[in-house]
Amino acid sequence: MRKVKILFLMLLGVLGLNCCFALATTGAITYFGRTMLAYGYAENPNFCNPFLEKSKTPE
């Protein structure tokens, strides 16, 4: 019974650690993603515009 308890606690520890890593990764991606978008938009105002028309230059 003691081995089962130790294995269960180890499993909970690993899952909890994975959960912490997932939350930290999500937070970092959210923070740095917004920062990158802000810098990109500051450099080029049409950075986030998906409907921007391409310049029609003849080839």
Side-chain angles (χ1 to χ4, degrees), residues 15-56:
L15 291 177
L17 193 62
N18 285 340
C19 183
C20 289
F21 282 138
L23 287 174
T25 304
T26 304
I29 289 172
T30 303
Y31 174 75
F32 290 116
R34 286 190 294 167
T35 305
M36 286 175 28
L37 283 175
Y39 285 143
Y41 189 75
E43 291 290 324
N44 181 10
N46 293 320
F47 181 72
C48 297
N49 188 358
F51 303 109
L52 183 65
E53 292 183 14
K54 303 286 184 196
S55 61
K56 297 178 182 176

